[in-house]
Amino acid sequence: MEQAAAGDTSTIGHDADTLDEVLTEPVRRDRLIVQRGVFASLSPRVPEKMYVHTKGDAASDRYGLQLADGATAHTNTYFGRFPATFWQRWTDVKTVNLQLTYGCSGTAKFTVWASDARGRERIVTVETVSGSGELDLELPIERFVDGGAMWFAVDASNGSVLVSDARWTVAAPERLRPAAVVICTFNRADDCTVTVGTLASDDGAMADIEAVCIVDQGTDQVRSRSAFAEVADKLGDKLIYLTQPNLGGAGGFSRGMYEITGSAKAEHANVIVMDDDILCEPESVLRLNAFANMTVQPTIVGAQMLSLSNPQVLHVSAEREVLDEITAGALTPGARMGIDLVKKKQDMRFDAGWNGWWTCLLPAEIIADCGLPIPLFFQWDDIEYGIRARYAGHPTVTLPNAGVWHADFYLKDYDDWARYFSIRNGLIVSSIYGRFDGNDMSKYLFRKISELIVSMQYGLAATFIKAAEDFLAGPDFLYDGGQSVLKELRELRDRYPETKPLPAAQVGKESDPHTQMSVWQFEPDKKREGLVLLKRAVQQFAGKVDRRTVTVPAHFAAWWHVSLFDKAVVTDASQNAVRVRHRDKDTAVDLAKQAAKVCWQLRKEAPRMKTVWQEALPKLTSRENWARLYGIDG
């Protein structure tokens, strides 16, 4: 299938010009469902204990619980907890109602529990019922400022109990915000079809979603899949399907934001951006949207990222940037990382500096105030936007108990063309918002490139150097939205053999997995890393390295280990391939000279580059610039 031309808005369902018809205000109601009692996942790979814990003879389905005599169940689980601390901090809601339908052949005891910031539990209320009926418990949202959640438990006595249609509700606002979902995709037609289909299958989650906008930037298009026809039919007039050339994640999400906020009825809309390859939990979309309807000011509300390979593991509670170290993700106070959510809870309230766009809600008022994303093509675009919003006084909340599953970052190899965008875009964002001290930044970058050189990652060192050079060239290289650099990166990295991933069996003759190494136990003290790095560089230059064949596992592939050898077969972090690194003194010296030159330039030019990038930001993020990139009238 041919690549779509710029401005091609061929559609299924509504097109972008009819968004005014689609973005109607949701129907007014007295109570707003902010969280449903969901007792099972739509995916068989997600354990039930992420939703409900049962004991005894009990069974659950998506929205129902059935307990035999003596059985118990509680929702002190990831998806079962009501995040009361966030509701007390970010909304003016004073009470929440737990409502459900029950049927008993004996009696049922319902207990509402609460926790505090330290995880200490307390009983809020207890209600015993018999027969069948509706339970409606009004619960105060109080004593939760620093942390804590609420959940309920049910015990069956003298007979069975059936629980269904559980929901947490609050008094609805006078006006509800129309919401639209934007999914950006590039040659992941099957993944995108499944993701959109999963969302569309949940009528409750879709009730207040007025539009689903798919921005397809690939040549293998979503609409080519037969299964997508059923999804399109299910969405009907809510579906907007746009095609355009590949402008990266920034260009794809920006297109949806551009079209939706261009509607006359989008002044108070919620725009929910979502990756194409996640394992989608529609309930999380409902929770984000409901929460954003109740915050005291327009607020970016993000879902947490859960591990796709181990669905009960949390990636990180909430993150903030460390711009002086070009680091995107650092834990915010109280946040947790890599925990097993079945065993551990997130009780302390944590505040976020930004939220990744695997699933994230952006109010139209914030987009109107801050502009559209910066055309960074790939990486840091969502981070930059979160920082920009924060500097403009718009908070970001990463909402616990609202998560989606995403491919694990630790399984992505570091030696990749994407690292160019990580460094280049990190420098851009740091120059705009950070201290950007030329001395500190140049030292840090030179140190990182030196570590790559001594570990014989010459292609990756060259990738870092090009990233710094392009940053120093100024904003003009973003004129095309970032496409042209991809070819340049491929050509650059092709010059370095160690960038090529190879099957492990193919390089068996070049490595010996039985070589016994005692060096793996060594790890330099943080205060001595600089001296160790200098020593390794001298050893590499002089050839005073271990000449034995060696296989280095990914978890031991730190520079202080690999640099001890003349040649090393290093496992890729993806665990699918290896890379053969071979010491090359001439290449190392040449790259060191290039690194010294670009870092010296960075040191001198830092103040000027800070001004250049800050002044360029409004133009780069304007509707006019994005309209030019899309080839459409602004």
Side-chain angles (χ1 to χ4, degrees), residues 376-423:
L376 296 179
F377 188 78
F378 180 69
Q379 294 195 357
W380 283 86
D381 50 309
D382 48 0
I383 300 165
E384 185 280 328
Y385 202 88
I387 299 171
R388 193 193 325 166
R390 191 175 79 232
Y391 274 49
H394 306 294
T396 293
V397 172
T398 298
L399 194 65
N401 318 115
V404 296
W405 293 270
H406 190 283
D408 303 275
F409 289 148
Y410 76 87
L411 289 175
K412 295 184 178 181
D413 188 53
Y414 190 80
D415 193 347
D416 186 76
W417 59 266
R419 208 55 50 197
Y420 163 87
F421 293 97
S422 178
I423 298 301

Side-chain angles (χ1 to χ4, degrees), residues 286-304:
L286 180 148
R287 295 180 185 186
L288 298 183
N289 194 38
F291 186 80
N293 267 284
M294 303 305 301
T295 53
V296 294
Q297 69 181 97
T299 301
I300 296 174
V301 187
Q304 292 186 324

Side-chain angles (χ1 to χ4, degrees), residues 167-397:
R167 59 210 182 274
W168 301 76
T169 71
V170 300
E174 190 64 31
R175 294 183 60 185
L176 289 169
R177 306 166 65 91
V181 172
V182 176
I183 298 178
C184 164
T185 187
F186 175 72
N187 289 345
R188 287 176 175 157
D190 294 326
D191 288 340
C192 188
T193 298
V194 171
T195 298
V196 180
T198 301
L199 180 62
S201 70
D202 191 323
D203 293 337
M206 287 298 301
D208 288 335
I209 302 297
E210 309 303 319
V212 175
C213 179
I214 298 174
V215 182
D216 195 334
Q217 304 186 117
T219 53
D220 182 14
Q221 295 190 333
V222 179
R223 62 184 172 184
S224 69
R225 298 301 193 267
S226 58
F228 184 69
E230 298 178 21
V231 177
D233 184 62
K234 176 72 174 174
L235 288 172
D237 289 343
K238 290 186 176 184
L239 176 62
I240 299 166
Y241 187 101
L242 306 174
T243 58
Q244 66 181 32
N246 183 21
L247 295 172
F253 286 129
S254 293
R255 179 62 182 278
M257 295 160 66
Y258 176 94
E259 299 291 355
I260 291 164
T261 58
S263 165
K265 293 185 178 179
E267 182 181 2
H268 301 292
N270 288 332
V271 181
I272 304 170
V273 295
M274 180 184 295
D275 276 352
D276 57 354
D277 60 342
I278 59 170
L279 178 57
C280 176
E281 172 50 84
E283 175 65 18
S284 294
V285 175
L286 180 148
R287 295 180 185 186
L288 298 183
N289 194 38
F291 186 80
N293 267 284
M294 303 305 301
T295 53
V296 294
Q297 69 181 97
T299 301
I300 296 174
V301 187
Q304 292 186 324
M305 183 182 128
L306 310 176
S307 168
L308 188 60
S309 62
N310 190 351
Q312 64 195 53
V313 170
L314 172 73
H315 169 55
V316 62
S317 295
E319 295 177 279
R320 196 179 180 96
E321 71 288 346
V322 182
L323 295 179
D324 289 345
E325 298 180 2
I326 322 177
T327 299
L331 285 175
T332 60
R336 311 188 73 175
M337 183 176 187
I339 62 171
D340 185 330
L341 293 164
V342 170
K343 298 177 180 178
K344 297 182 179 180
K345 304 294 183 286
Q346 303 172 86
D347 283 304
M348 184 180 294
R349 199 194 79 240
F350 42 81
D351 298 320
W354 53 270
N355 200 95
W357 286 358
W358 40 79
T359 298
C360 186
L361 181 150
L362 302 125
E365 297 94 324
I366 294 180
I367 298 172
D369 183 43
C370 295
L372 293 165
I374 185 172
L376 296 179
F377 188 78
F378 180 69
Q379 294 195 357
W380 283 86
D381 50 309
D382 48 0
I383 300 165
E384 185 280 328
Y385 202 88
I387 299 171
R388 193 193 325 166
R390 191 175 79 232
Y391 274 49
H394 306 294
T396 293
V397 172

Side-chain angles (χ1 to χ4, degrees), residues 467-504:
E469 290 172 343
D470 286 356
F471 162 76
L472 290 165
D476 287 349
F477 70 79
L478 296 183
Y479 185 81
D480 70 346
Q483 298 178 84
S484 62
V485 75
L486 295 175
K487 180 181 178 182
E488 296 175 32
L489 282 174
R490 284 193 292 268
E491 293 174 350
L492 173 67
R493 291 176 58 80
D494 279 346
R495 300 174 201 162
Y496 301 92
E498 88 286 344
T499 63
K500 306 291 192 302
L502 302 169

Side-chain angles (χ1 to χ4, degrees), residues 72-76 98 109-113 151-155:
T72 64
H74 69 77
T75 62
N76 186 18
L98 172 62
K109 182 176 75 171
F110 290 92
T111 307
V112 177
W113 290 85
W151 63 92
F152 73 89
V154 56
D155 298 80

